[in-house]
Amino acid sequence: MPKPLKPPAEEAEGACACGAVRVAIGVPARWAFHDHSAASRRAQGCAYVTYTASYRSRFRWLEGEGLVTRHEREGTARGFCSRCGTPIFMERKRAPTMINLPRALFETRTGREPRYHTSLDQAPDWAYGGGKLVPLKGYPGVMWERPKPKAKRKAPIDDFL
């Protein structure tokens, strides 16, 4: 008989936009990462998604498990709230002990900072690349990245002879 798992001392709770689906993970989470893959970008509708990964043994449904709609493709399953469409999880056959949850589901700390990036080769050219941002005049709270100045063309050496 397997030894019963010790419950985590602390949990982080997450919910979909409408609140019908609620989940909890043990803190600290296993790890957190930014996924730049095309599949995640399309499923989430954003440049990249930040996931918090948890061992399945430290994950539990609090409410609404029956409201989750699953979509499976090529060894990856994604779950969404059937009421509001919020992405709830992403799991892969190659990592059966893990479940990845969008970091945005959680309002409290999960115990891990997203320091890792996956599938950077699939990142779109239009995604924010971390350049310096400055306030946009006349639009409080809006920041923008100034375009890079065009490089001045050097005169050919022959012009000086």
Side-chain angles (χ1 to χ4, degrees):
M1 181 170 190
K3 183 179 173 184
L5 294 171
K6 181 180 175 186
E10 182 183 349
E11 285 187 325
E13 294 185 9
C16 66
C18 72
V21 178
R22 294 181 47 244
V23 298
I25 60 169
V27 173
R30 175 67 180 113
W31 70 314
F33 62 100
H34 303 292
D35 180 0
H36 299 266
S37 71
S40 284
R41 183 172 57 253
R42 289 184 184 112
Q44 301 276 335
C46 54
Y48 62 88
V49 59
T50 303
Y51 283 114
T52 297
S54 175
Y55 286 114
R56 283 188 183 283
S57 62
R58 294 173 52 93
F59 165 82
R60 65 189 182 104
W61 296 99
L62 298 176
E63 252 180 272
E65 181 179 3
L67 295 172
V68 174
T69 299
R70 291 176 63 91
H71 171 73
E72 295 187 38
R73 185 173 183 208
E74 299 175 3
T76 299
R78 297 176 189 276
F80 304 87
C81 173
S82 62
R83 288 189 182 168
C84 67
T86 300
I88 303 295
F89 69 84
M90 185 263 293
E91 55 191 10
R92 296 183 174 129
K93 270 189 181 172
R94 69 176 189 239
T97 62
M98 301 298 293
I99 186 164
N100 301 300
L101 305 130
R103 177 61 180 91
L105 297 179
F106 302 92
E107 289 190 27
T108 60
R109 297 177 56 87
T110 61
R112 296 284 182 226
E113 290 182 43
R115 296 180 183 239
Y116 308 95
H117 293 261
T118 62
S119 304
L120 272 171
D121 60 324
Q122 296 178 39
D125 60 358
W126 50 262
Y128 172 64
K132 183 180 176 187
L133 298 176
V134 295
L136 180 60
K137 188 176 178 180
Y139 295 88
V142 177
M143 305 293 283
W144 74 300
E145 186 175 358
R146 285 192 174 117
K148 295 185 179 18
K150 292 183 179 179
K152 291 184 180 179
R153 195 178 76 114
K154 290 185 179 182
I157 295 176
D158 293 346
D159 289 353
F160 296 105
L161 298 177

